Amino acid sequence: MKPAEDFKLFDAHFHIIDGRFPLVPNQGYLPEMFTCEDYLARMKGYRLAGGAVVSGSFQAYDQSYLIDALKNLGPGFVGVTQLPASASDEELLRLNGAGVRAVRFNLKRGGSEDIRHLEKFARRVYDLARWHVELYVDARELGDLYETLVGLPAVSIDHLGLSGDGFPVLLKLAERGVRVKATGFGRVDFHVPTALMELYEANPQTLMFGTDLPSTRAPKPYSDQDFRLVVETLGEEKAHRVLWQNAAAFYGLIQEQF
């Protein structure tokens, strides 16, 4: 297998945790620090061309850390934030100018807007700035959300949906155009290679790989073997889509090239 540096990478999901900015305990949990410098040092040896900084439950609605991180990481990096549905158009456009491209609904851990605002807020941010919505959710909850999600203009689901029991619904969502982050392999309760193959076959555009660094609260944190697993499972040509093209197109870095 080729080394990681031979594969262009858009890291579709990672966190920056910087103690200079507000942090909110979530169920008593506060993460260890993981700054931009820590992240870039960890990613040496990868052909890193961009990525998505994702707000965690412990960052609630704070935007200061995210704007700072995007400025420090530079071109190619975008933000996935948490916002109240009451956020003004001016605030959304200000964040868009700073590189934010999505709103996250954290059903798993909280810290985000309530899911009852999902449909209206998703349509609003898409119409205003072409943002998508991202859900951190156990796939067992997706059945009740299915009709809403397939009707929205742009949606992604974190961490392969976490649950094997909900995977059939996730697969149907992928077939209908919902994107799925191939992240957090140490968080799921099923065989990852099989899931990757089935999702890719359902929709070659759906999978977007991310490191999930620094893997806060994950039973098994990210390792370089997770990256190799994608390439070994899918082969180099398909892995190129999952590691770079799918996310780069979804986040607006490149035009769709399929």
Side-chain angles (χ1 to χ4, degrees):
M1 177 183 151
K2 293 180 180 179
E5 61 190 10
D6 283 1
F7 295 90
K8 195 172 186 179
L9 174 63
F10 183 97
D11 184 353
H13 193 105
F14 67 95
H15 304 283
I16 295 298
I17 305 156
D18 190 328
R20 295 176 301 157
F21 302 100
L23 291 169
V24 180
N26 179 266
Q27 300 169 353
Y29 173 81
L30 274 177
E32 295 182 3
M33 297 302 100
F34 189 73
T35 65
C36 292
E37 292 75 19
D38 294 330
Y39 173 73
L40 293 174
R42 174 63 179 85
M43 295 304 289
K44 286 183 177 178
Y46 288 83
R47 189 181 167 191
L48 185 64
V53 183
V54 178
S55 290
S57 59
F58 40 79
Q59 284 154 330
Y61 295 145
D62 175 55
Q63 309 301 324
S64 58
Y65 97 92
L66 184 55
I67 292 171
D68 181 81
L70 294 176
K71 182 178 179 181
N72 285 326
L73 291 168
F77 288 88
V78 300
V80 177
T81 196
Q82 296 171 155
L83 282 166
S86 59
S88 67
D89 286 357
E90 290 76 15
E91 173 70 353
L92 294 171
L93 292 172
R94 180 182 75 89
L95 293 172
N96 186 70
V100 176
R101 295 293 180 266
V103 173
R104 192 183 199 208
F105 284 78
N106 192 330
L107 281 69
K108 178 73 174 177
R109 302 288 188 190
S112 68
E113 182 57 275
D114 191 275
I115 194 65
R116 62 192 174 91
H117 295 287
L118 172 64
E119 183 170 8
K120 185 176 180 180
F121 202 20
R123 294 188 185 282
R124 180 176 164 226
V125 298
Y126 184 83
D127 290 344
L128 183 68
R130 290 298 186 267
W131 288 9
H132 66 276
V133 289
E134 174 174 312
L135 275 69
Y136 183 18
V137 56
D138 189 307
R140 287 174 291 190
E141 299 180 41
L142 291 174
D144 292 340
L145 295 170
Y146 180 86
E147 293 300 331
T148 297
L149 295 178
V150 297
L152 294 179
V155 180
S156 68
I157 305 292
D158 288 345
H159 306 323
L160 297 171
L162 298 172
S163 170
D165 288 344
F167 188 78
V169 179
L170 183 70
L171 203 59
K172 291 179 181 178
L173 287 168
E175 291 172 350
R176 297 288 298 273
V178 170
R179 307 303 177 101
V180 178
K181 289 191 173 182
T183 57
F185 295 171
R187 300 180 187 273
V188 307
D189 65 1
F190 50 81
H191 188 242
V192 170
T194 299
L196 294 176
M197 289 187 291
E198 291 184 359
L199 284 162
Y200 191 94
E201 290 170 4
N203 180 356
Q205 295 177 328
T206 193
L207 286 171
M208 305 184 297
F209 177 80
T211 62
D212 188 35
L213 287 169
S215 304
T216 55
R217 287 191 275 197
K220 181 181 177 183
Y222 174 77
S223 76
D224 296 328
Q225 179 56 36
D226 295 344
F227 182 95
R228 291 192 289 269
L229 177 66
V230 172
V231 180
E232 292 168 356
T233 299
L234 298 176
E236 292 181 8
E237 182 178 349
K238 294 176 181 177
H240 178 66
R241 287 188 173 188
V242 174
L243 297 171
W244 165 251
Q245 284 184 308
N246 286 347
F250 191 58
Y251 284 97
L253 271 67
I254 60 173
Q255 295 295 313
E256 209 76 53
Q257 295 182 0
F258 309 107

PDB file of all heavy atoms in Angstrom, residues 1-10 45-49 227-228 231-232 235-241 243-244:
ATOM      1  N   MET A   1       0.835  -1.202   0.000  1.00  0.00           N
ATOM      2  CA  MET A   1       0.000   0.000   0.000  1.00  0.00           C
ATOM      3  C   MET A   1       0.865   1.244   0.000  1.00  0.00           C
ATOM      4  O   MET A   1       1.893   1.321   0.672  1.00  0.00           O
ATOM      5  CB  MET A   1      -0.916   0.000   1.223  1.00  0.00           C
ATOM      6  CG  MET A   1      -1.773   1.247   1.368  1.00  0.00           C
ATOM      7  SD  MET A   1      -2.768   1.229   2.869  1.00  0.00           S
ATOM      8  CE  MET A   1      -2.889   2.982   3.199  1.00  0.00           C
ATOM      9  N   LYS A   2       0.434   2.259  -0.749  1.00  0.00           N
ATOM     10  CA  LYS A   2       1.153   3.525  -0.790  1.00  0.00           C
ATOM     11  C   LYS A   2       1.131   4.198   0.580  1.00  0.00           C
ATOM     12  O   LYS A   2       0.201   4.011   1.359  1.00  0.00           O
ATOM     13  CB  LYS A   2       0.517   4.462  -1.820  1.00  0.00           C
ATOM     14  CG  LYS A   2       0.656   4.016  -3.265  1.00  0.00           C
ATOM     15  CD  LYS A   2      -0.017   5.022  -4.178  1.00  0.00           C
ATOM     16  CE  LYS A   2       0.098   4.612  -5.630  1.00  0.00           C
ATOM     17  NZ  LYS A   2      -0.596   5.586  -6.530  1.00  0.00           N
ATOM     18  N   PRO A   3       2.142   5.017   0.891  1.00  0.00           N
ATOM     19  CA  PRO A   3       2.111   5.755   2.165  1.00  0.00           C
ATOM     20  C   PRO A   3       1.001   6.796   2.174  1.00  0.00           C
ATOM     21  O   PRO A   3       0.506   7.219   1.120  1.00  0.00           O
ATOM     22  CB  PRO A   3       3.494   6.415   2.211  1.00  0.00           C
ATOM     23  CG  PRO A   3       3.946   6.475   0.789  1.00  0.00           C
ATOM     24  CD  PRO A   3       3.358   5.263   0.109  1.00  0.00           C
ATOM     25  N   ALA A   4       0.616   7.232   3.371  1.00  0.00           N
ATOM     26  CA  ALA A   4      -0.487   8.182   3.527  1.00  0.00           C
ATOM     27  C   ALA A   4      -0.241   9.466   2.756  1.00  0.00           C
ATOM     28  O   ALA A   4      -1.178  10.072   2.226  1.00  0.00           O
ATOM     29  CB  ALA A   4      -0.697   8.488   5.010  1.00  0.00           C
ATOM     30  N   GLU A   5       1.014   9.879   2.655  1.00  0.00           N
ATOM     31  CA  GLU A   5       1.317  11.155   1.998  1.00  0.00           C
ATOM     32  C   GLU A   5       1.045  11.119   0.497  1.00  0.00           C
ATOM     33  O   GLU A   5       1.055  12.155  -0.167  1.00  0.00           O
ATOM     34  CB  GLU A   5       2.761  11.554   2.258  1.00  0.00           C
ATOM     35  CG  GLU A   5       3.781  10.558   1.733  1.00  0.00           C
ATOM     36  CD  GLU A   5       5.188  10.853   2.226  1.00  0.00           C
ATOM     37  OE1 GLU A   5       5.344  11.714   3.111  1.00  0.00           O
ATOM     38  OE2 GLU A   5       6.113  10.217   1.718  1.00  0.00           O
ATOM     39  N   ASP A   6       0.792   9.928  -0.055  1.00  0.00           N
ATOM     40  CA  ASP A   6       0.448   9.827  -1.478  1.00  0.00           C
ATOM     41  C   ASP A   6      -1.036  10.084  -1.735  1.00  0.00           C
ATOM     42  O   ASP A   6      -1.450  10.190  -2.894  1.00  0.00           O
ATOM     43  CB  ASP A   6       0.812   8.438  -2.018  1.00  0.00           C
ATOM     44  CG  ASP A   6       2.302   8.287  -2.271  1.00  0.00           C
ATOM     45  OD1 ASP A   6       3.041   9.252  -2.004  1.00  0.00           O
ATOM     46  OD2 ASP A   6       2.727   7.219  -2.736  1.00  0.00           O
ATOM     47  N   PHE A   7      -1.838  10.174  -0.675  1.00  0.00           N
ATOM     48  CA  PHE A   7      -3.276  10.370  -0.824  1.00  0.00           C
ATOM     49  C   PHE A   7      -3.663  11.754  -0.320  1.00  0.00           C
ATOM     50  O   PHE A   7      -3.511  12.060   0.855  1.00  0.00           O
ATOM     51  CB  PHE A   7      -4.058   9.304  -0.044  1.00  0.00           C
ATOM     52  CG  PHE A   7      -3.871   7.911  -0.552  1.00  0.00           C
ATOM     53  CD1 PHE A   7      -2.850   7.110  -0.055  1.00  0.00           C
ATOM     54  CD2 PHE A   7      -4.708   7.401  -1.531  1.00  0.00           C
ATOM     55  CE1 PHE A   7      -2.669   5.820  -0.527  1.00  0.00           C
ATOM     56  CE2 PHE A   7      -4.543   6.105  -2.002  1.00  0.00           C
ATOM     57  CZ  PHE A   7      -3.514   5.315  -1.508  1.00  0.00           C
ATOM     58  N   LYS A   8      -4.179  12.577  -1.212  1.00  0.00           N
ATOM     59  CA  LYS A   8      -4.645  13.894  -0.816  1.00  0.00           C
ATOM     60  C   LYS A   8      -5.798  13.747   0.167  1.00  0.00           C
ATOM     61  O   LYS A   8      -6.706  12.940  -0.050  1.00  0.00           O
ATOM     62  CB  LYS A   8      -5.096  14.669  -2.053  1.00  0.00           C
ATOM     63  CG  LYS A   8      -5.262  16.159  -1.849  1.00  0.00           C
ATOM     64  CD  LYS A   8      -5.521  16.839  -3.188  1.00  0.00           C
ATOM     65  CE  LYS A   8      -5.540  18.340  -3.054  1.00  0.00           C
ATOM     66  NZ  LYS A   8      -5.778  18.996  -4.370  1.00  0.00           N
ATOM     67  N   LEU A   9      -5.766  14.508   1.239  1.00  0.00           N
ATOM     68  CA  LEU A   9      -6.737  14.333   2.317  1.00  0.00           C
ATOM     69  C   LEU A   9      -7.441  15.628   2.682  1.00  0.00           C
ATOM     70  O   LEU A   9      -6.802  16.652   2.932  1.00  0.00           O
ATOM     71  CB  LEU A   9      -6.033  13.790   3.572  1.00  0.00           C
ATOM     72  CG  LEU A   9      -6.903  13.683   4.836  1.00  0.00           C
ATOM     73  CD1 LEU A   9      -8.043  12.690   4.637  1.00  0.00           C
ATOM     74  CD2 LEU A   9      -6.051  13.281   6.040  1.00  0.00           C
ATOM     75  N   PHE A  10      -8.773  15.555   2.706  1.00  0.00           N
ATOM     76  CA  PHE A  10      -9.600  16.549   3.383  1.00  0.00           C
ATOM     77  C   PHE A  10     -10.118  15.865   4.634  1.00  0.00           C
ATOM     78  O   PHE A  10     -10.930  14.923   4.551  1.00  0.00           O
ATOM     79  CB  PHE A  10     -10.765  16.995   2.493  1.00  0.00           C
ATOM     80  CG  PHE A  10     -11.617  18.076   3.125  1.00  0.00           C
ATOM     81  CD1 PHE A  10     -11.406  19.402   2.812  1.00  0.00           C
ATOM     82  CD2 PHE A  10     -12.612  17.757   4.041  1.00  0.00           C
ATOM     83  CE1 PHE A  10     -12.182  20.406   3.398  1.00  0.00           C
ATOM     84  CE2 PHE A  10     -13.386  18.738   4.628  1.00  0.00           C
ATOM     85  CZ  PHE A  10     -13.170  20.074   4.304  1.00  0.00           C
ATOM     86  N   GLY A  45       3.083  13.787   7.898  1.00  0.00           N
ATOM     87  CA  GLY A  45       3.106  12.486   7.243  1.00  0.00           C
ATOM     88  C   GLY A  45       1.879  12.230   6.402  1.00  0.00           C
ATOM     89  O   GLY A  45       1.834  11.262   5.635  1.00  0.00           O
ATOM     90  N   TYR A  46       0.866  13.086   6.556  1.00  0.00           N
ATOM     91  CA  TYR A  46      -0.320  13.038   5.700  1.00  0.00           C
ATOM     92  C   TYR A  46      -0.233  14.150   4.659  1.00  0.00           C
ATOM     93  O   TYR A  46       0.377  15.197   4.905  1.00  0.00           O
ATOM     94  CB  TYR A  46      -1.592  13.238   6.516  1.00  0.00           C
ATOM     95  CG  TYR A  46      -1.989  12.078   7.395  1.00  0.00           C
ATOM     96  CD1 TYR A  46      -1.417  11.916   8.650  1.00  0.00           C
ATOM     97  CD2 TYR A  46      -2.954  11.166   6.977  1.00  0.00           C
ATOM     98  CE1 TYR A  46      -1.793  10.848   9.470  1.00  0.00           C
ATOM     99  CE2 TYR A  46      -3.340  10.103   7.791  1.00  0.00           C
ATOM    100  CZ  TYR A  46      -2.746   9.954   9.030  1.00  0.00           C
ATOM    101  OH  TYR A  46      -3.125   8.912   9.831  1.00  0.00           O
ATOM    102  N   ARG A  47      -0.884  13.935   3.530  1.00  0.00           N
ATOM    103  CA  ARG A  47      -0.960  14.979   2.508  1.00  0.00           C
ATOM    104  C   ARG A  47      -2.218  15.807   2.771  1.00  0.00           C
ATOM    105  O   ARG A  47      -3.207  15.746   2.055  1.00  0.00           O
ATOM    106  CB  ARG A  47      -0.986  14.343   1.115  1.00  0.00           C
ATOM    107  CG  ARG A  47      -0.852  15.336  -0.026  1.00  0.00           C
ATOM    108  CD  ARG A  47      -0.925  14.601  -1.355  1.00  0.00           C
ATOM    109  NE  ARG A  47      -1.097  15.530  -2.467  1.00  0.00           N
ATOM    110  CZ  ARG A  47      -1.406  15.162  -3.705  1.00  0.00           C
ATOM    111  NH1 ARG A  47      -1.589  13.869  -3.977  1.00  0.00           N
ATOM    112  NH2 ARG A  47      -1.555  16.054  -4.645  1.00  0.00           N
ATOM    113  N   LEU A  48      -2.177  16.561   3.843  1.00  0.00           N
ATOM    114  CA  LEU A  48      -3.332  17.302   4.337  1.00  0.00           C
ATOM    115  C   LEU A  48      -3.575  18.535   3.474  1.00  0.00           C
ATOM    116  O   LEU A  48      -2.728  19.424   3.386  1.00  0.00           O
ATOM    117  CB  LEU A  48      -3.099  17.700   5.795  1.00  0.00           C
ATOM    118  CG  LEU A  48      -4.245  18.370   6.526  1.00  0.00           C
ATOM    119  CD1 LEU A  48      -5.442  17.432   6.664  1.00  0.00           C
ATOM    120  CD2 LEU A  48      -3.770  18.839   7.907  1.00  0.00           C
ATOM    121  N   ALA A  49      -4.751  18.588   2.839  1.00  0.00           N
ATOM    122  CA  ALA A  49      -5.088  19.691   1.944  1.00  0.00           C
ATOM    123  C   ALA A  49      -6.257  20.515   2.449  1.00  0.00           C
ATOM    124  O   ALA A  49      -6.701  21.444   1.776  1.00  0.00           O
ATOM    125  CB  ALA A  49      -5.400  19.152   0.549  1.00  0.00           C
ATOM    126  N   PHE A 227      -6.963   5.140   8.700  1.00  0.00           N
ATOM    127  CA  PHE A 227      -6.727   5.660   7.351  1.00  0.00           C
ATOM    128  C   PHE A 227      -6.396   4.515   6.395  1.00  0.00           C
ATOM    129  O   PHE A 227      -6.959   4.414   5.299  1.00  0.00           O
ATOM    130  CB  PHE A 227      -5.588   6.674   7.404  1.00  0.00           C
ATOM    131  CG  PHE A 227      -5.257   7.332   6.089  1.00  0.00           C
ATOM    132  CD1 PHE A 227      -5.802   8.558   5.759  1.00  0.00           C
ATOM    133  CD2 PHE A 227      -4.380   6.729   5.194  1.00  0.00           C
ATOM    134  CE1 PHE A 227      -5.488   9.174   4.553  1.00  0.00           C
ATOM    135  CE2 PHE A 227      -4.064   7.334   3.992  1.00  0.00           C
ATOM    136  CZ  PHE A 227      -4.621   8.561   3.672  1.00  0.00           C
ATOM    137  N   ARG A 228      -5.482   3.654   6.835  1.00  0.00           N
ATOM    138  CA  ARG A 228      -5.090   2.530   5.979  1.00  0.00           C
ATOM    139  C   ARG A 228      -6.265   1.602   5.706  1.00  0.00           C
ATOM    140  O   ARG A 228      -6.378   1.028   4.612  1.00  0.00           O
ATOM    141  CB  ARG A 228      -3.929   1.764   6.633  1.00  0.00           C
ATOM    142  CG  ARG A 228      -2.626   2.551   6.670  1.00  0.00           C
ATOM    143  CD  ARG A 228      -1.450   1.672   7.050  1.00  0.00           C
ATOM    144  NE  ARG A 228      -1.491   1.291   8.451  1.00  0.00           N
ATOM    145  CZ  ARG A 228      -0.913   1.980   9.430  1.00  0.00           C
ATOM    146  NH1 ARG A 228      -0.264   3.106   9.145  1.00  0.00           N
ATOM    147  NH2 ARG A 228      -0.981   1.572  10.673  1.00  0.00           N
ATOM    148  N   VAL A 231      -8.262   2.674   2.633  1.00  0.00           N
ATOM    149  CA  VAL A 231      -7.587   2.362   1.373  1.00  0.00           C
ATOM    150  C   VAL A 231      -7.610   0.861   1.106  1.00  0.00           C
ATOM    151  O   VAL A 231      -7.896   0.413  -0.011  1.00  0.00           O
ATOM    152  CB  VAL A 231      -6.149   2.896   1.381  1.00  0.00           C
ATOM    153  CG1 VAL A 231      -5.446   2.571   0.063  1.00  0.00           C
ATOM    154  CG2 VAL A 231      -6.134   4.404   1.633  1.00  0.00           C
ATOM    155  N   GLU A 232      -7.331   0.068   2.132  1.00  0.00           N
ATOM    156  CA  GLU A 232      -7.300  -1.385   1.962  1.00  0.00           C
ATOM    157  C   GLU A 232      -8.682  -1.945   1.636  1.00  0.00           C
ATOM    158  O   GLU A 232      -8.818  -2.897   0.867  1.00  0.00           O
ATOM    159  CB  GLU A 232      -6.752  -2.038   3.226  1.00  0.00           C
ATOM    160  CG  GLU A 232      -5.278  -1.748   3.459  1.00  0.00           C
ATOM    161  CD  GLU A 232      -4.808  -2.148   4.843  1.00  0.00           C
ATOM    162  OE1 GLU A 232      -5.670  -2.590   5.666  1.00  0.00           O
ATOM    163  OE2 GLU A 232      -3.606  -2.003   5.135  1.00  0.00           O
ATOM    164  N   GLY A 235      -9.827   0.196  -2.014  1.00  0.00           N
ATOM    165  CA  GLY A 235      -8.904   0.321  -3.134  1.00  0.00           C
ATOM    166  C   GLY A 235      -8.572   1.777  -3.385  1.00  0.00           C
ATOM    167  O   GLY A 235      -9.290   2.688  -2.956  1.00  0.00           O
ATOM    168  N   GLU A 236      -7.484   2.019  -4.093  1.00  0.00           N
ATOM    169  CA  GLU A 236      -6.946   3.377  -4.208  1.00  0.00           C
ATOM    170  C   GLU A 236      -7.892   4.343  -4.913  1.00  0.00           C
ATOM    171  O   GLU A 236      -8.061   5.481  -4.487  1.00  0.00           O
ATOM    172  CB  GLU A 236      -5.587   3.334  -4.918  1.00  0.00           C
ATOM    173  CG  GLU A 236      -4.515   2.654  -4.089  1.00  0.00           C
ATOM    174  CD  GLU A 236      -3.179   2.631  -4.788  1.00  0.00           C
ATOM    175  OE1 GLU A 236      -3.050   3.276  -5.857  1.00  0.00           O
ATOM    176  OE2 GLU A 236      -2.257   1.971  -4.279  1.00  0.00           O
ATOM    177  N   GLU A 237      -8.532   3.920  -6.005  1.00  0.00           N
ATOM    178  CA  GLU A 237      -9.375   4.841  -6.763  1.00  0.00           C
ATOM    179  C   GLU A 237     -10.589   5.285  -5.946  1.00  0.00           C
ATOM    180  O   GLU A 237     -10.899   6.479  -5.858  1.00  0.00           O
ATOM    181  CB  GLU A 237      -9.845   4.193  -8.060  1.00  0.00           C
ATOM    182  CG  GLU A 237     -10.690   5.112  -8.926  1.00  0.00           C
ATOM    183  CD  GLU A 237     -11.110   4.478 -10.234  1.00  0.00           C
ATOM    184  OE1 GLU A 237     -10.594   3.412 -10.582  1.00  0.00           O
ATOM    185  OE2 GLU A 237     -11.984   5.059 -10.910  1.00  0.00           O
ATOM    186  N   LYS A 238     -11.282   4.350  -5.330  1.00  0.00           N
ATOM    187  CA  LYS A 238     -12.443   4.695  -4.524  1.00  0.00           C
ATOM    188  C   LYS A 238     -12.021   5.461  -3.267  1.00  0.00           C
ATOM    189  O   LYS A 238     -12.707   6.389  -2.828  1.00  0.00           O
ATOM    190  CB  LYS A 238     -13.221   3.435  -4.156  1.00  0.00           C
ATOM    191  CG  LYS A 238     -13.858   2.734  -5.345  1.00  0.00           C
ATOM    192  CD  LYS A 238     -14.538   1.440  -4.931  1.00  0.00           C
ATOM    193  CE  LYS A 238     -15.153   0.730  -6.134  1.00  0.00           C
ATOM    194  NZ  LYS A 238     -15.768  -0.569  -5.769  1.00  0.00           N
ATOM    195  N   ALA A 239     -10.889   5.069  -2.696  1.00  0.00           N
ATOM    196  CA  ALA A 239     -10.403   5.756  -1.499  1.00  0.00           C
ATOM    197  C   ALA A 239     -10.116   7.226  -1.795  1.00  0.00           C
ATOM    198  O   ALA A 239     -10.323   8.086  -0.937  1.00  0.00           O
ATOM    199  CB  ALA A 239      -9.151   5.072  -0.966  1.00  0.00           C
ATOM    200  N   HIS A 240      -9.665   7.525  -3.005  1.00  0.00           N
ATOM    201  CA  HIS A 240      -9.400   8.920  -3.368  1.00  0.00           C
ATOM    202  C   HIS A 240     -10.664   9.765  -3.236  1.00  0.00           C
ATOM    203  O   HIS A 240     -10.614  10.901  -2.751  1.00  0.00           O
ATOM    204  CB  HIS A 240      -8.861   8.992  -4.797  1.00  0.00           C
ATOM    205  CG  HIS A 240      -8.607  10.393  -5.271  1.00  0.00           C
ATOM    206  ND1 HIS A 240      -7.636  11.206  -4.713  1.00  0.00           N
ATOM    207  CD2 HIS A 240      -9.199  11.149  -6.237  1.00  0.00           C
ATOM    208  CE1 HIS A 240      -7.643  12.383  -5.312  1.00  0.00           C
ATOM    209  NE2 HIS A 240      -8.579  12.377  -6.247  1.00  0.00           N
ATOM    210  N   ARG A 241     -11.782   9.207  -3.642  1.00  0.00           N
ATOM    211  CA  ARG A 241     -13.049   9.930  -3.468  1.00  0.00           C
ATOM    212  C   ARG A 241     -13.362  10.152  -1.994  1.00  0.00           C
ATOM    213  O   ARG A 241     -13.751  11.246  -1.579  1.00  0.00           O
ATOM    214  CB  ARG A 241     -14.193   9.146  -4.112  1.00  0.00           C
ATOM    215  CG  ARG A 241     -14.222   9.163  -5.620  1.00  0.00           C
ATOM    216  CD  ARG A 241     -15.504   8.532  -6.110  1.00  0.00           C
ATOM    217  NE  ARG A 241     -15.654   8.665  -7.557  1.00  0.00           N
ATOM    218  CZ  ARG A 241     -16.756   8.329  -8.227  1.00  0.00           C
ATOM    219  NH1 ARG A 241     -17.794   7.835  -7.568  1.00  0.00           N
ATOM    220  NH2 ARG A 241     -16.816   8.482  -9.518  1.00  0.00           N
ATOM    221  N   LEU A 243     -11.363  10.052   0.646  1.00  0.00           N
ATOM    222  CA  LEU A 243     -10.357  10.811   1.384  1.00  0.00           C
ATOM    223  C   LEU A 243     -10.289  12.277   0.959  1.00  0.00           C
ATOM    224  O   LEU A 243      -9.881  13.118   1.755  1.00  0.00           O
ATOM    225  CB  LEU A 243      -8.978  10.175   1.205  1.00  0.00           C
ATOM    226  CG  LEU A 243      -8.821   8.761   1.742  1.00  0.00           C
ATOM    227  CD1 LEU A 243      -7.491   8.174   1.296  1.00  0.00           C
ATOM    228  CD2 LEU A 243      -8.944   8.721   3.263  1.00  0.00           C
ATOM    229  N   TRP A 244     -10.687  12.577  -0.264  1.00  0.00           N
ATOM    230  CA  TRP A 244     -10.554  13.941  -0.754  1.00  0.00           C
ATOM    231  C   TRP A 244     -11.787  14.451  -1.493  1.00  0.00           C
ATOM    232  O   TRP A 244     -12.449  15.388  -1.053  1.00  0.00           O
ATOM    233  CB  TRP A 244      -9.318  14.059  -1.666  1.00  0.00           C
ATOM    234  CG  TRP A 244      -9.310  15.310  -2.482  1.00  0.00           C
ATOM    235  CD1 TRP A 244      -9.502  15.421  -3.831  1.00  0.00           C
ATOM    236  CD2 TRP A 244      -9.132  16.662  -2.011  1.00  0.00           C
ATOM    237  NE1 TRP A 244      -9.444  16.737  -4.236  1.00  0.00           N
ATOM    238  CE2 TRP A 244      -9.217  17.523  -3.132  1.00  0.00           C
ATOM    239  CE3 TRP A 244      -8.911  17.225  -0.754  1.00  0.00           C
ATOM    240  CZ2 TRP A 244      -9.093  18.912  -3.034  1.00  0.00           C
ATOM    241  CZ3 TRP A 244      -8.791  18.613  -0.653  1.00  0.00           C
ATOM    242  CH2 TRP A 244      -8.876  19.442  -1.773  1.00  0.00           C
TER     243      TRP A 244
END
